[in-house]
Amino acid sequence: MKTKIFWGWLFVFFSFVVNAKIFDTFGTKIIIYDSTPEAPVGRMRFQIAEDYIIKYATLTCVQNENVRNCTVNEPDSKYIGNHNLFQLIPERYLAEGDRYNMQEYDGPGYKISIYANRINIYNLFSSNTPDRKDKDVAEFLDKIDQLLAGKSEYQFEPIVMDK
């Protein structure tokens, strides 16, 4: 009997001490866009899901006499495997109902959209956020910066389309 009471109190104690939130990543996507003052949500650069990361082609465009000519610098590519990017998302960006204004903190950089349909989250925030001073936000954005610079540990393979 004393053992049951001890385990009961221990369980109650730990239920107050442990305040861990489990984030279900099923159906969650992170999308990274280019951002400029002219186009606050520009071209998509990455789409990140639970078991893959798609890296979209980079373009170089030149406009001559009302004709815009764009060349692809590299093809779309994909990483299939595990990654820890969802575990690094700061908790404040997973709060339901917190909507970030995409025009906020505009300037050169990128925008990050976090979409999770199971918990009704759709947040869009800028890489220029003053929250970057926060340790959790800085760690997450540093990982995104590495991904954008091509300095991440993920090996991308070109996506081959079947004809």
Side-chain angles (χ1 to χ4, degrees):
M1 182 67 174
K2 289 182 181 180
T3 306
K4 288 182 183 179
I5 293 173
F6 170 75
W7 286 112
W9 279 107
L10 191 62
F11 176 75
V12 170
F13 173 74
F14 280 121
S15 67
F16 286 109
V17 171
V18 177
N19 189 15
K21 292 186 179 180
I22 298 172
F23 174 55
D24 183 9
T25 59
F26 180 79
T28 301
K29 295 214 180 340
I30 300 172
I31 299 175
I32 303 170
Y33 301 91
D34 283 330
S35 175
T36 62
E38 302 81 37
V41 179
R43 207 173 52 74
M44 196 181 327
R45 297 282 307 275
F46 284 91
Q47 178 181 359
I48 303 166
E50 185 175 20
D51 55 352
Y52 67 84
I53 301 173
I54 295 177
K55 179 180 175 184
Y56 292 100
T58 56
L59 302 174
T60 302
C61 297
V62 178
Q63 186 158 349
N64 292 327
E65 300 176 21
N66 297 330
V67 176
R68 188 173 183 176
N69 186 14
C70 296
T71 56
V72 176
N73 297 336
E74 60 187 49
D76 291 346
S77 55
K78 190 173 194 176
Y79 165 78
I80 298 176
N82 296 325
H83 58 81
N84 66 345
L85 294 169
F86 287 133
Q87 289 79 21
L88 294 175
I89 298 173
E91 191 174 314
R92 71 180 72 188
Y93 296 136
L94 297 176
E96 193 171 350
D98 279 353
R99 308 264 190 240
Y100 287 83
N101 179 358
M102 70 176 109
Q103 305 294 335
E104 198 172 7
Y105 314 119
D106 245 349
Y110 54 87
K111 299 279 186 193
I112 299 176
S113 169
I114 300 173
Y115 173 75
N117 58 358
R118 281 198 164 183
I119 51 177
N120 194 25
I121 294 175
Y122 184 79
N123 286 333
L124 183 64
F125 62 97
S126 171
S127 61
N128 300 318
T129 178
D131 292 346
R132 195 171 194 129
K133 295 173 187 165
D134 181 46
K135 179 183 170 271
D136 294 336
V137 175
E139 184 179 6
F140 175 66
L141 293 179
D142 287 345
K143 192 74 162 183
I144 298 297
D145 290 341
Q146 290 173 11
L147 193 63
L148 288 165
K151 297 180 180 180
S152 68
E153 68 270 17
Y154 310 119
Q155 299 297 313
F156 290 87
E157 299 292 326
I159 297 174
V160 179
M161 303 296 259
D162 292 334
K163 292 184 179 183

